[in-house]
Amino acid sequence: MVSVMANEKLLEIKNLKQHFKVGKSVVKAVDGLTFDIYKGETFGLVGESGCGKSTTGRTIIRLYDATDGEVIFDGENVHGKKNAKELKKFNRKMQMIFQDPYASLNPRMTVADIIAEGIDIHGLAKNKEERMARVHELLETVGLNKEHANRYPHEFSGGQRQRIGIARALAVDPEFIIADEPISALDVSIQAQVVNLMKKLQREKGLTYLFIAHDLSMVKYISDRIGVMYQGEIVELADSDELYADPLHPYTQSLLSAIPLPDPEYERSRTRKLYDSEDYAPKSGEKRVLREVKKGHWVACTEEEYEQFMATV
Amino acid sequence: MSMRQEQLPDLTDDMFQPADIDSSKNEEIAGESTGFWKDAWRRLRKNLGAIIGIVIIVVLSLLAIFGPMMNEYSYHEQDLMRAKLPAKVPGLENVGFLGLNGVDIRGVDQYEAKGVDEYFWFGTDEFGRDQWTRVWQGTRISLFIALAAAFIDFVIGVAYGGISAFYGGRVDNILQRIIEVLVGIPNLILIILFILIFEPGILSIILALAVTGWIGMARIVRGQVLKLKNQEFVLASRTLGASDGRVIGRHLIPNVLGQIIITTMFTIPNAIFFEAFLSFIGLGIRPPEASLGSIINNGFSSLQIYPHLVLYPSIVISLLMIAFNLVGDGLRDAFDPKLRK
Amino acid sequence: MEKILEVKDLHVSFDTFGGEVKAVRGVNLHLEKGETLAIVGESGSGKSVTSKAIMGLIPNPPGRIKEGEILFGGKDLAKMSEKELQSIRGSEISMIFQDPMTSLNPTMTVGKQIMEGLIKHQRLSKTEAKSRAIELLKLVGIPNPDTRVSQYPHQFSGGMRQRVVIAIALACNPRILIADEPTTALDVTIQAQILELLRDLQEKMGTSIIFITHDLGVVANIADRVAVMYAGKIVETGTVDEIFYNPQHPYTWGLLGSMPSLDTSEEELIAIPGSPPDLTDPPKGDAFAPRNPYAMKIDTELEPPLFKISDTHYAATWLLHEKAPKVEPPEAIKKRMKGMASSKPTMVTKDGERNG
């Protein structure tokens, strides 16, 4: 996946905020995110549950209206639009793959109707034959076959369902796909099927992915660049190899040192780093901001820490 | 470590050749495709209780339609000469223990005493009206009231609950407060007031039942829609650009329909019972029209002397209630996704 | 080593609408004192059912133990009455479940929940039980146990709740702890803490642990021995080093190959094609054959017996038979195999005699 096309920005996220009112208090699920996603790359967003990574994905695709900030897709601000026609155009360009293979397919619809939903909404098929031909083609793309079209979701296994979800997203020929923990509900052997399929589709169709997950080893494998989220903010952002080789933020370090790997010898010697956000809070009360310490490697740090980083690099 | 390996046959070299595994078969799904409704019907068919319930409902409905035409008497034709006759059925009159021989509880054959030659299958009431005709006429009216009330509950409840949950926020808040106010008023008072204001009759009973009856349905539909509207398949449809109408029609309603049918199935016997209760306390159907409740009410005063006046309509109303509940239970089991494999 | 639990030829079935689901089809395993045995497999492989059978927690109906013995302290748990099982459950063998949110009673303080078992099994007085409960909370690393003991589960975070669950399970010093995916619902950093805690407690108390998981990273971290399950059977068993560095069964290859290690970046992951078999009608022969790229004709006809690779390492695949062609495992697996001298595998027959 080195074929990142000349760093052309597909998606720019600027100071994105998503606050939810819960009773009288406000939960800042996403609090001031800024990052870019380049054409043809896979951007991994990792973090633990409750860090706001799924909310970020859903806000980008407009399932939630952002509290503040901009999402610029291909030069156009997604969140400013109100016109229904423009929205539909946007819906075709950006699609989503969901986490739960059991909840993401309507149990009362046949697989053909599920996959064809986008085709129906956007009128992409002239007649029934064309619609079915397209459905069959999509089923084959994701490794299923024609005979599956008239069956219902409950007859499929988790991995097969997830592939149906991918086919549904592909039906409208999107450029950008948000994958919201697409493999975390699947068995290990099936995870590889889905990841390989996603990689193959990326090669063939030049897709751009935002891959949201908590499984760091899989994210490392599939992503070109990774952003680490903690409490609604990105604390570190770098190329995936760079992030794993030289994590700078203590939270990233603790996260990486906590992953168990399928290698008993490594496991016997692995030592874990601890992270406590209260201990790490800057004494001066200064807010940490993302700063570029190496080319393409951004860390949330204070002015003073920034200078220290620059001195060691 | 031991293995169940009785005796190995001779293993030839040939057996260790690579096998032809058809990789396309990996994704094959055996068996016939079953949709939700087909699956539910398959399960319902295996439920003996539900089948018995369906049979009872069909038989009683047919009797309610055709019963009054099965003899020459009408429901309002009075003849005091043949009043208060016990049941007498041709053929069965000779089977002693059934008590269908026209002999009352004191052992007097009333047909002989009053010189009546005809047979009254369920006997006659205090005005000599044929009880068979009246019971089925009453069943017809009771069922009609129940079905009409259930239908109104269904329409209002689904729309109200659906709108409340789907639009959420302020709309939901206001609609739910209205429901709470309605629930706060004891519905018996509401219904009695309603019937006192309007003329007692079929229409006013239906309306009275519907005034508060839809609340249960509205709450169930609201709960279901609230649960469904944030399911990932609905979100997926939204990201594809689906309109509200499409989300409601293609995704929400088909998934709530099972619940709606079950709720309706339990609304019907409730309405039958409530109508009977209203008639019983004198707020129901006016004579000479009859419902099961009013017939039971009439017979109740002379229960000890003429038990047949209460017995037959009571059996019919009990059978109806049991049958609808059996079918409702059966449908619930058939639709319950937890039992799905 | 002392065997404290032995499962022999266990068969468990569930009667469902679609027919009899043969969830466990002849499992043999044993647990030694003070060790951790990891049972690995995909969902539906029968790993959870096996552990529930040991606990006597198979709901009947629809489930039933069809055949087999579960020997614990000279007694067969499979044949015990519910009452006898109750005296063992929680005191001799206890269990931790996957979801710490639902395995605690929300209406009882955590102290009361820990004390329940102590009062029932060890006949402690209330005050004794309470001080023991505080001790246990301290043991599982909950700060301020004196005040925490009278709090309710909702006042604890997910990781802390799982610690409480562990405290409850360990209250009566059980000899065996069965942990059914205890870290799957937790974040990685919390998972690491819980795994450390379990290892630590095992060292202190000498408990034997059966650890059920699908995460091979967790297995590498915690297990002494590993049993790999597929379609209701154990297909390979061995010490953790034997399974990770000298795997013999193609399913184990698939599992190991489908996980990226931190240095597999460019090559494709080895995906196991297809889906696990339907256990209402398990395929003839080797259940893994339809998904096995190395399948031979014999796999489609005869179930493979266990082959012994070393005293601790067994695998059920015809590939180990002397007549089978030599196959090369996938690249990623070959990288793992670090010169573990494998002697000639021998077939194991029913009465434990070895031939071939």
Side-chain angles (χ1 to χ4, degrees):
Chain A
M1 262 174 307
V2 200
S3 60
V4 176
M5 291 164 208
N7 285 6
E8 191 186 329
K9 283 178 190 171
L10 183 68
L11 191 77
E12 289 171 68
I13 289 148
K14 290 182 178 165
N15 195 31
L16 188 71
K17 284 186 185 170
Q18 181 66 57
H19 297 177
F20 294 109
K21 253 193 215 156
V22 179
K24 277 180 187 147
S25 59
V26 173
V27 175
K28 297 179 178 176
V30 176
D31 202 23
L33 284 194
T34 302
F35 62 94
D36 301 329
I37 297 177
Y38 300 114
K39 231 173 215 164
E41 78 164 344
T42 300
F43 186 91
L45 199 56
V46 292
E48 298 185 275
S49 49
C51 72
K53 55 189 192 299
S54 284
T55 310
T56 307
R58 290 181 178 191
T59 308
I60 292 174
I61 203 166
R62 277 195 63 128
L63 278 172
Y64 304 143
D65 285 321
T67 311
D68 194 16
E70 288 181 337
V71 175
I72 295 166
F73 183 83
D74 235 354
E76 285 177 82
N77 188 355
V78 173
H79 280 248
K81 283 179 202 155
K82 287 281 177 278
N83 181 334
K85 209 175 157 193
E86 277 180 333
L87 269 181
K88 264 198 166 178
K89 206 177 86 195
F90 162 72
N91 284 326
R92 279 195 60 183
K93 288 185 177 167
M94 194 189 284
Q95 269 304 306
M96 193 153 184
I97 304 170
F98 292 87
Q99 173 177 6
D100 184 349
Y102 290 86
S104 61
L105 306 179
N106 185 343
R108 304 283 185 273
M109 277 161 83
T110 61
V111 167
D113 286 340
I114 289 170
I115 294 178
E117 182 152 32
I119 300 174
D120 297 344
I121 290 171
H122 296 281
L124 302 180
K126 282 189 222 79
N127 50 40
K128 272 194 181 149
E129 288 75 44
E130 201 185 320
R131 178 177 180 266
M132 280 318 279
R134 185 92 179 94
V135 167
H136 291 161
E137 187 193 321
L138 285 162
L139 277 170
E140 266 158 38
T141 310
V142 298
L144 295 169
N145 46 45
K146 285 202 286 209
E147 286 73 43
H148 292 137
N150 291 320
R151 293 187 173 269
Y152 288 85
H154 70 93
E155 301 172 74
F156 294 84
S157 67
Q160 290 174 321
R161 282 157 176 253
Q162 203 59 308
R163 283 183 274 154
I164 294 169
I166 294 175
R168 167 177 60 194
L170 292 177
V172 292
D173 283 324
E175 293 170 37
F176 176 59
I177 291 182
I178 298 175
D180 185 4
E181 306 223 22
I183 54 168
S184 57
L186 301 176
D187 276 314
V188 197
S189 70
I190 309 294
Q191 288 185 355
Q193 285 178 9
V194 172
V195 167
N196 284 344
L197 173 67
M198 285 181 66
K199 280 195 138 184
K200 185 188 105 186
L201 292 171
Q202 184 167 46
R203 274 197 308 274
E204 288 170 1
K205 298 178 190 278
L207 294 169
T208 307
Y209 289 132
L210 172 61
F211 192 91
I212 300 168
H214 65 263
D215 177 345
L216 287 97
S217 37
M218 210 45 119
V219 174
K220 154 89 169 40
Y221 174 73
I222 197 171
S223 308
D224 299 300
R225 291 190 307 136
I226 296 175
V228 179
M229 264 186 99
Y230 183 71
Q231 293 187 346
E233 293 172 40
I234 285 187
V235 295
E236 189 159 1
L237 193 164
D239 283 357
S240 54
D241 291 332
E242 163 73 13
L243 186 83
Y244 278 75
D246 187 19
L248 294 176
H249 196 281
Y251 178 69
T252 315
Q253 292 170 354
S254 88
L255 209 54
L256 285 175
S257 71
I259 321 170
L261 293 181
D263 184 344
E265 264 167 38
Y266 167 85
E267 281 302 306
R268 279 172 211 133
S269 58
R270 177 164 63 91
T271 48
R272 206 154 59 77
K273 290 205 178 76
L274 301 175
Y275 175 70
D276 187 333
S277 60
E278 278 165 36
D279 283 356
Y280 187 63
K283 302 283 172 294
S284 57
E286 186 190 344
K287 203 167 162 21
R288 289 198 169 87
V289 284
L290 267 188
R291 291 185 167 89
E292 190 168 19
V293 293
K294 283 190 222 172
K295 191 174 178 299
H297 191 153
W298 300 67
V299 188
C301 54
T302 61
E303 196 80 47
E304 196 184 323
E305 286 164 347
Y306 176 67
E307 273 154 31
Q308 281 171 10
F309 283 138
M310 294 309 282
T312 54
V313 169
Chain B
M1 288 285 168
S2 62
M3 270 299 298
R4 291 170 66 78
Q5 198 71 45
E6 296 301 311
Q7 208 176 6
L8 283 172
D10 290 335
L11 302 174
T12 58
D13 287 341
D14 177 57
M15 296 174 91
F16 290 93
Q17 295 303 309
D20 303 316
I21 303 278
D22 184 359
S23 62
S24 65
K25 279 208 166 162
N26 273 329
E27 305 287 354
E28 207 167 67
I29 300 171
E32 189 191 354
S33 169
T34 50
F36 173 76
W37 299 107
K38 216 166 149 189
D39 213 19
W41 169 235
R42 202 173 54 142
R43 225 189 314 273
L44 190 67
R45 242 178 9 198
K46 290 205 173 176
N47 186 329
L48 186 65
I51 294 300
I52 292 174
I54 291 173
V55 170
I56 293 176
I57 291 172
V58 168
V59 170
L60 290 181
S61 305
L62 287 175
L63 281 169
I65 297 166
F66 299 109
M69 305 171 202
M70 285 166 73
N71 57 29
E72 64 272 28
Y73 313 109
S74 78
Y75 70 94
H76 52 77
E77 180 191 322
Q78 300 186 8
D79 181 353
L80 292 176
M81 291 304 293
R82 57 179 205 215
K84 294 177 178 174
L85 291 174
K88 190 177 181 187
V89 183
L92 295 176
E93 62 191 314
N94 300 324
V95 188
F97 64 91
L98 286 175
L100 298 173
N101 51 5
V103 178
D104 69 10
I105 54 167
R106 282 160 301 193
V108 181
D109 187 340
Q110 290 288 339
Y111 285 75
E112 219 166 67
K114 293 197 171 146
V116 180
D117 292 334
E118 296 113 318
Y119 287 84
F120 292 96
W121 300 335
F122 280 180
T124 56
D125 69 0
E126 74 265 38
F127 302 114
R129 292 178 294 200
D130 176 38
Q131 193 72 351
W132 169 273
T133 310
R134 283 180 67 75
V135 164
W136 298 121
Q137 185 78 20
T139 309
R140 187 190 289 180
I141 287 172
S142 286
L143 272 176
F144 176 73
I145 290 173
L147 289 174
F151 180 73
I152 295 174
D153 285 359
F154 164 80
V155 172
I156 301 177
V158 170
Y160 196 98
I163 289 169
S164 185
F166 187 76
Y167 291 102
R170 188 193 296 264
V171 176
D172 187 37
N173 228 331
I174 294 169
L175 292 182
Q176 289 313 302
R177 294 302 84 72
I178 294 173
I179 280 193
E180 276 158 27
V181 169
L182 277 176
V183 170
I185 308 167
N187 66 350
L188 190 58
I189 293 182
L190 205 69
I191 289 167
I192 289 173
L193 282 175
F194 212 87
I195 290 173
L196 287 181
I197 295 166
F198 297 97
E199 276 291 292
I202 293 180
L203 189 66
S204 55
I205 291 178
I206 291 173
L207 290 177
L209 284 171
V211 175
T212 56
W214 56 270
I215 290 175
M217 177 69 88
R219 284 187 161 164
I220 283 168
V221 171
R222 174 174 176 269
Q224 290 287 318
V225 171
L226 275 182
K227 199 178 78 188
L228 286 169
K229 77 169 186 176
N230 286 321
Q231 291 262 340
E232 289 183 344
F233 67 85
V234 177
L235 297 182
S237 178
R238 289 205 172 285
T239 63
L240 284 165
S243 59
D244 285 357
R246 189 180 171 89
V247 170
I248 294 172
R250 297 292 308 249
H251 296 291
L252 298 180
I253 291 182
N255 280 288
V256 189
L257 205 54
Q259 271 292 328
I260 294 174
I261 293 173
I262 294 165
T263 311
T264 308
M265 273 297 150
F266 288 116
T267 316
I268 293 173
N270 270 344
I272 292 176
F273 183 77
F274 214 84
E275 181 279 322
F277 170 73
L278 286 177
S279 297
F280 193 75
I281 60 173
L283 289 169
I285 304 293
R286 287 289 132 124
E289 297 257 20
S291 73
L292 287 172
S294 65
I295 297 172
I296 293 170
N297 185 27
N298 284 342
F300 186 67
S301 46
S302 46
L303 174 67
Q304 284 180 314
I305 321 165
Y306 305 110
H308 70 274
L309 291 180
V310 173
L311 186 65
Y312 300 112
S314 300
I315 289 175
V316 173
I317 200 169
S318 305
L319 280 176
L320 271 180
M321 306 268 297
I322 292 169
F324 274 106
N325 276 298
L326 280 175
V327 176
D329 271 336
L331 285 172
R332 189 167 51 196
D333 290 345
F335 288 154
D336 193 339
K338 266 177 281 181
L339 297 172
R340 291 170 76 84
K341 204 207 108 199
Chain C
M1 275 292 210
E2 186 192 336
K3 279 184 192 175
I4 65 167
L5 181 82
E6 194 165 10
V7 175
K8 285 183 178 170
D9 198 26
L10 183 71
H11 286 72
V12 183
S13 284
F14 290 87
D15 296 309
T16 67
F17 199 72
E20 180 190 342
V21 178
K22 303 178 188 87
V24 172
R25 309 183 295 142
V27 159
N28 294 287
L29 57 84
H30 70 276
L31 184 66
E32 283 166 16
K33 196 167 185 305
E35 75 164 351
T36 302
L37 169 71
I39 304 182
V40 201
E42 299 177 75
S43 47
S45 63
K47 57 189 195 305
S48 283
V49 176
T50 305
S51 68
K52 289 210 176 91
I54 295 171
M55 283 295 276
L57 288 177
I58 300 286
N60 183 0
R64 62 201 149 91
I65 295 180
K66 263 175 70 181
E67 247 185 278
E69 297 174 355
I70 302 166
L71 299 173
F72 174 72
K75 283 182 210 148
D76 185 0
L77 299 183
K79 302 212 166 45
M80 270 191 189
S81 69
E82 177 59 25
K83 212 172 166 197
E84 288 172 292
L85 279 170
Q86 274 177 8
S87 70
I88 287 180
R89 242 184 257 149
S91 71
E92 303 269 344
I93 306 178
S94 56
M95 192 157 182
I96 314 172
F97 294 95
Q98 177 174 353
D99 191 354
M101 307 296 164
T102 53
S103 49
L104 290 172
N105 181 345
T107 62
M108 262 165 98
T109 64
V110 299
K112 280 229 174 86
Q113 296 185 50
I114 300 175
M115 285 153 65
E116 246 185 343
L118 291 168
I119 293 169
K120 187 179 161 209
H121 293 298
Q122 304 203 328
R123 316 223 170 272
L124 297 186
S125 71
K126 264 200 167 170
T127 40
E128 281 171 323
K130 190 165 181 188
S131 61
R132 175 95 177 106
I134 295 172
E135 226 173 87
L136 282 162
L137 286 179
K138 202 168 150 195
L139 186 72
V140 296
I142 291 181
N144 309 322
D146 300 322
T147 48
R148 289 297 227 170
V149 74
S150 46
Q151 289 183 340
Y152 288 89
H154 69 89
Q155 291 165 294
F156 290 74
S157 67
M160 285 293 159
R161 268 183 235 185
Q162 197 61 301
R163 283 170 192 264
V164 172
V165 173
I166 292 172
I168 295 173
L170 293 178
C172 301
N173 286 324
R175 293 165 64 194
I176 299 176
L177 179 67
I178 300 177
D180 189 355
E181 309 233 6
T183 59
T184 307
L186 305 172
D187 281 322
V188 268
T189 51
I190 312 292
Q191 162 173 293
Q193 291 168 17
I194 297 291
L195 292 179
E196 267 165 37
L197 173 69
L198 282 174
R199 270 204 314 269
D200 201 40
L201 290 172
Q202 183 173 39
E203 218 162 89
K204 280 185 200 154
M205 307 172 74
T207 319
S208 306
I209 299 179
I210 297 180
F211 199 102
I212 291 153
T213 181
H214 64 265
D215 186 336
L216 291 168
V218 173
V219 175
N221 181 285
I222 198 159
D224 298 311
R225 283 196 308 121
V226 183
V228 181
M229 276 191 86
Y230 185 78
K233 292 189 167 193
I234 291 181
V235 295
E236 184 162 6
T237 171
T239 64
V240 69
D241 286 343
E242 282 165 341
I243 297 295
F244 281 87
Y245 300 133
N246 189 24
Q248 296 295 323
H249 197 283
Y251 179 65
T252 317
W253 294 346
L255 278 185
L256 285 166
S258 60
M259 271 193 90
S261 64
L262 287 183
D263 51 3
T264 47
S265 49
E266 295 311 320
E267 66 226 66
E268 279 231 322
L269 297 173
I270 311 169
I272 304 176
S275 313
D278 177 5
L279 290 180
T280 44
D281 182 25
K284 198 179 155 213
D286 186 352
F288 185 58
R291 303 174 71 189
N292 183 0
Y294 305 98
M296 297 175 291
K297 282 185 183 141
I298 190 167
D299 283 314
T300 60
E301 282 162 31
L302 272 180
E303 269 183 47
L306 274 183
F307 287 88
K308 178 181 167 181
I309 298 121
S310 79
D311 281 340
T312 46
H313 192 181
Y314 295 83
T317 167
W318 283 116
L319 287 178
L320 294 172
H321 193 270
E322 54 184 355
K323 287 188 177 167
K326 189 108 182 76
V327 295
E328 291 285 308
E331 266 321 297
I333 303 301
K334 273 212 281 196
K335 268 198 249 166
R336 294 180 161 273
M337 297 191 164
K338 322 183 182 174
M340 275 211 156
S342 48
S343 54
K344 209 171 141 227
T346 49
M347 202 192 294
V348 184
T349 56
K350 192 186 179 187
D351 29 312
E353 274 172 35
R354 271 126 221 195
N355 60 10

